[in-house]
Amino acid sequence: MEGTLFLGLGADFALERVVERQHHLLVTVRSIATFSCCPLCSSRSEHLHSHYQRTVTDIPCSGRTVTHKLVVRRFFCRNEACPRRIFTERLPQLLLPHAQMTNRLREALCLLSLATSAEAASRLAPRLGMKSSPSTLLRCQKTNPLPQPSSHTKIGIDDFAFRRGQTYGTIIVDLETHKIVDLLPDRSKETAKAWLCIHPEIEVISRDRASNYSDAAREAAPQALQVADRFHLVKNIRGKIKDVLDRNRSCLPLVKNPATSPTILSQENPPEESSGTESEAHPQEKEVHEAQEQSFTPSGEDPASPGLLTISEQRRQLNRDKRYALYEKVKDLRKQGLSHYAIADTLDISRPTVRRFLEAEQFPERVNSPKTKQKSGVVTPYLSFLSERWLAGCHNGRLLFREAKARGYSGSRAQLERVTTEWRKYLPPSLTAKQKKSPPVATPPPKNQQLSPQQASWLFVIDKLQLTAEQQWQIEQCCRINEELAKAYLLSQNFTEMLRERKADDLKEWLQRARESQIPELEGFAKSLQQDYSAIYAACSQPWSQGQVEGHVNRLKCLKRQLYGRAKFDLLRHKVLQAI
């Protein structure tokens, strides 16, 4: 009796023998219950038929593995209506039918695999006195019962990627308990709608601006208050501001840190009321201002009218203009005697881009058709020529590439260098060392790079109190030269302030100002906000957001990768809902 208590077997078992080895305990245990119940008809029986022995693994004891030689009995079923005449006694408190491990060992292995992964747990378990394969641990996770669903009144819903850009699922999080409620196999409107229909208790739904979730919430949970996520709203207006800055990129200032930084633009001090003459400005500020005026072209002189192009065509045209301006700068710096490295460092672009622009006789247009794959043997026809030049003493990869290019080579320099790199391993050390110093090159001028629309768009939405003196000066320069940018800056600042300080009453006025701003991007943004007005208003007045939902999405990515590529939806759902 003391032995069964020590092993935690209970009063229905008798300990017959213990064989102690160095790292193992072999325990013979017999069931001593006076009766058993038929698993089909549940009738009680005391008539013994026979017995047999089962080998069962248990949790370790004092660092040693434990194996039970369990003597199990068979009974006669005396119920005439039952189709089973003989049955084996069930021991649900110890193990499941046909199981080769006890319930507590199965639970311990399952918790271990949930805390780590099946692969990691299978390697860690032997050190803890247990042993199991990754497949067995995954089966334990699947058979482990999921937690019982409870009522949730405030939830956040978002999508996550099974394979980025291809297949997506839906994650639902309780905003009050900060726990994952459920996972859905896709992000379609029908799936989200079906889940919401069986949860009529929901009062608040936080979401991003995806139409699938908004439509599903409106149709399946009309009683719930929808709250748009503030981060996504700031991201949306930043994207629109970036489009505005792309159209007016010639007005962006050069990245310089002036000695004196003007004050930031505010509604009380608009750009039209700025005082002072040009002669009173700081010399460095004056230099940058003159450089902007030389490159500034009014939008009305653009040969391609934005009204005649679609949004995607306008963006392609803007990107093409930016690349062409960069191409001209590369050519100009090359005429000044700068090397490839100096040009790349001055313009902050990659050396392959500099080389591609310099080798092109005219501006290289981008091809809209999909890229064709390079032929696998593109270097093969030129191997004899390359080996001949290599043996002649030419070990310069760039020179070999230019010579092969002149002979019709159509591949990239990287493909050719894979061959020469292998050949270079067999050169004597004296031949690989640099024997001559590189010739002197012209000293590059100090960097005078223009602020990019991507960088400037973030300055437009960040709180002006968080900007540095240099950033404040950059914003001042943008708004001083272009009235449209000044208007866009004030609108973006008012919008982010409205979200940050929960000024929901100012939303209607802001939408009216944006529609009358005569800025096409912000007019379209205001129109989209008007279509989702109630959720935007709730975002400006309610404390709920998608922050913890995004955190769980990031955690889900980690759990998905722990499954070592075996993350099908059913297994992933068990892993996420039971994760420790």
Side-chain angles (χ1 to χ4, degrees):
M1 186 65 180
E2 294 178 356
T4 58
L5 291 176
F6 177 69
L7 294 174
L9 298 177
D12 293 336
F13 297 93
L15 184 64
E16 293 187 345
R17 188 176 62 171
V18 177
V19 178
E20 184 177 0
R21 297 173 183 173
Q22 183 177 4
H23 302 293
H24 184 71
L25 291 178
L26 183 60
V27 183
T28 303
V29 181
R30 179 182 296 273
S31 174
I32 58 175
T34 57
F35 64 92
S36 183
C37 296
C38 177
L40 290 185
C41 63
S42 301
S43 60
R44 178 172 172 173
S45 175
E46 299 178 357
H47 297 82
L48 183 65
H49 175 271
S50 60
H51 64 270
Y52 71 99
Q53 194 176 73
R54 294 177 61 179
T55 302
V56 183
T57 306
D58 201 356
I59 58 176
C61 178
S62 301
R64 292 177 289 186
T65 59
V66 177
T67 301
H68 293 310
K69 292 295 184 180
L70 183 61
V71 180
V72 185
R73 298 168 296 177
R74 295 187 181 95
F75 289 86
F76 289 103
C77 181
R78 296 307 185 184
N79 185 3
E80 298 295 338
C82 180
R84 178 171 293 184
R85 312 313 306 165
I86 301 172
F87 65 90
T88 302
E89 64 177 331
R90 299 298 191 262
L91 305 171
Q93 70 277 17
L94 182 62
L95 74 165
L96 299 176
H98 311 291
Q100 296 182 1
M101 66 176 70
T102 60
N103 294 336
R104 54 191 180 186
L105 177 59
R106 178 184 296 273
E107 182 180 356
L109 289 172
C110 184
L111 293 176
L112 184 62
S113 64
L114 288 173
T116 56
S117 66
E119 292 285 347
S122 65
R123 297 192 296 267
L124 178 61
R127 301 188 179 186
L128 302 177
M130 300 177 284
K131 185 181 295 185
S132 186
S133 66
S135 298
T136 300
L137 293 173
L138 292 179
R139 285 195 297 270
C140 291
Q141 292 182 21
K142 289 183 179 180
T143 56
N144 199 38
L146 293 174
Q148 293 295 326
S150 57
S151 60
H152 312 279
T153 58
K154 299 172 179 62
I155 64 168
I157 186 169
D158 201 357
D159 58 8
F160 67 93
F162 290 108
R163 296 186 65 184
R164 187 176 180 87
Q166 298 185 26
T167 54
Y168 288 84
T170 298
I171 183 173
I172 303 173
V173 178
D174 191 325
L175 298 180
E176 293 181 314
T177 62
H178 299 191
K179 294 182 179 180
I180 297 179
V181 175
D182 205 351
L183 294 184
L184 306 182
D186 55 50
R187 58 175 181 181
S188 64
K189 168 187 171 182
E190 291 73 19
T191 303
K193 183 178 177 181
W195 190 91
L196 291 172
C197 286
I198 60 177
H199 293 83
E201 72 278 3
I202 294 177
E203 300 174 357
V204 175
I205 300 177
S206 175
R207 56 169 176 82
D208 56 16
R209 302 192 64 207
S211 60
N212 289 344
Y213 298 138
S214 62
D215 294 342
R218 184 176 61 255
E219 297 176 11
Q223 79 286 352
L225 173 65
Q226 298 188 45
V227 182
D229 184 49
R230 289 182 287 276
F231 169 79
H232 288 88
L233 288 173
V234 173
K235 187 177 179 180
N236 292 151
I237 192 172
R238 190 205 67 82
K240 298 300 181 180
I241 293 295
K242 181 179 177 297
D243 294 339
V244 178
L245 293 168
D246 269 327
R247 283 196 295 105
N248 301 276
R249 63 184 177 280
S250 58
C251 301
L252 297 179
L254 303 176
V255 182
K256 278 190 174 182
N257 189 9
T260 57
S261 299
T263 55
I264 191 67
L265 181 69
S266 61
Q267 290 196 34
E268 293 79 16
N269 185 24
E272 297 84 4
E273 300 177 2
S274 60
S275 60
T277 61
E278 184 179 355
S279 59
E280 297 174 355
H282 191 272
Q284 190 177 14
E285 181 183 343
K286 178 180 178 181
E287 177 187 349
V288 176
H289 186 70
E290 291 175 352
Q292 293 168 345
E293 288 181 342
Q294 292 175 1
S295 61
F296 174 66
T297 302
S299 58
E301 299 177 5
D302 192 353
S305 177
L308 303 178
L309 301 176
T310 63
I311 297 297
S312 59
E313 290 173 343
Q314 291 179 27
R315 289 180 178 174
R316 282 197 295 269
Q317 181 64 32
L318 288 172
N319 291 334
R320 194 263 182 195
D321 294 344
K322 287 191 290 185
R323 290 184 67 249
Y324 184 78
L326 186 63
Y327 170 78
E328 292 291 337
K329 291 179 181 179
V330 170
K331 290 291 188 179
D332 292 340
L333 291 177
R334 186 59 172 174
K335 291 178 182 179
Q336 298 175 20
L338 270 66
S339 64
H340 290 67
Y341 294 92
I343 296 175
D345 185 61
T346 301
L347 299 179
D348 198 17
I349 58 178
S350 65
R351 291 192 294 272
T353 301
V354 174
R355 189 177 299 108
R356 185 168 60 252
F357 283 169
L358 292 178
E359 291 176 355
E361 297 181 357
Q362 57 183 1
F363 176 64
E365 298 284 355
R366 282 181 175 172
V367 182
N368 293 330
S369 59
K371 297 181 179 179
T372 57
K373 295 183 180 180
Q374 291 285 349
K375 296 181 179 179
S376 58
V378 68
V379 186
T380 305
Y382 303 92
L383 284 178
S384 59
F385 164 73
L386 293 173
S387 61
E388 180 181 351
R389 295 287 291 124
W390 189 268
L391 295 176
C394 181
H395 303 144
N396 190 315
R398 295 183 182 179
L399 180 59
L400 291 174
F401 172 73
R402 287 196 293 267
E403 293 179 359
K405 198 79 172 177
R407 293 174 177 267
Y409 173 71
S410 59
S412 65
R413 187 163 65 91
Q415 289 175 297
L416 188 144
E417 285 183 347
R418 293 191 189 102
V419 178
T420 58
T421 300
E422 293 295 324
W423 293 352
R424 202 177 301 279
K425 294 178 182 178
Y426 302 97
L427 290 178
S430 60
L431 295 180
T432 58
K434 291 184 179 180
Q435 302 294 335
K436 298 180 181 179
K437 295 183 178 179
S438 53
V441 295
T443 304
K447 283 190 177 182
N448 205 14
Q449 188 180 355
Q450 192 176 28
L451 187 67
S452 69
Q454 179 80 11
Q455 297 170 328
S457 61
W458 283 114
L459 301 182
F460 272 59
V461 297
I462 295 176
D463 185 8
K464 58 186 179 182
L465 299 179
Q466 299 179 0
L467 297 177
T468 63
E470 180 182 359
Q471 292 171 341
Q472 291 182 6
W473 175 80
Q474 292 169 358
I475 292 293
E476 178 76 14
Q477 292 299 112
C478 291
C479 300
R480 178 178 299 176
I481 295 177
N482 192 299
E483 183 179 355
E484 186 179 40
L485 293 184
K487 191 181 300 183
Y489 175 74
L490 294 178
L491 286 172
S492 62
Q493 284 292 301
N494 291 339
F495 185 78
T496 55
E497 180 184 358
M498 181 173 57
L499 293 175
R500 186 169 54 250
E501 300 183 6
R502 308 290 193 275
K503 296 181 179 180
D505 296 335
D506 297 343
L507 177 60
K508 187 172 294 185
E509 179 186 355
W510 187 92
L511 292 175
Q512 182 66 26
R513 289 171 53 201
R515 285 193 295 265
E516 298 174 354
S517 64
Q518 298 182 351
I519 304 176
E521 292 82 2
L522 294 183
E523 291 177 2
F525 181 64
K527 182 179 180 181
S528 67
L529 295 185
Q530 188 65 48
Q531 295 172 352
D532 200 16
Y533 182 82
S534 59
I536 308 301
Y537 186 89
C540 299
S541 57
Q542 298 291 326
W544 312 109
S545 71
Q546 290 287 91
Q548 51 188 292
V549 182
E550 297 292 345
H552 276 293
V553 170
N554 191 45
R555 176 169 170 263
L556 187 147
K557 293 177 184 177
C558 178
L559 296 175
K560 181 165 66 71
R561 285 162 176 77
Q562 287 181 352
L563 294 174
Y564 285 78
R566 305 175 72 169
K568 289 187 177 180
F569 175 72
D570 57 343
L571 181 59
L572 179 64
R573 184 168 180 266
H574 276 76
K575 175 77 173 179
V576 171
L577 295 182
Q578 301 180 77
I580 299 175

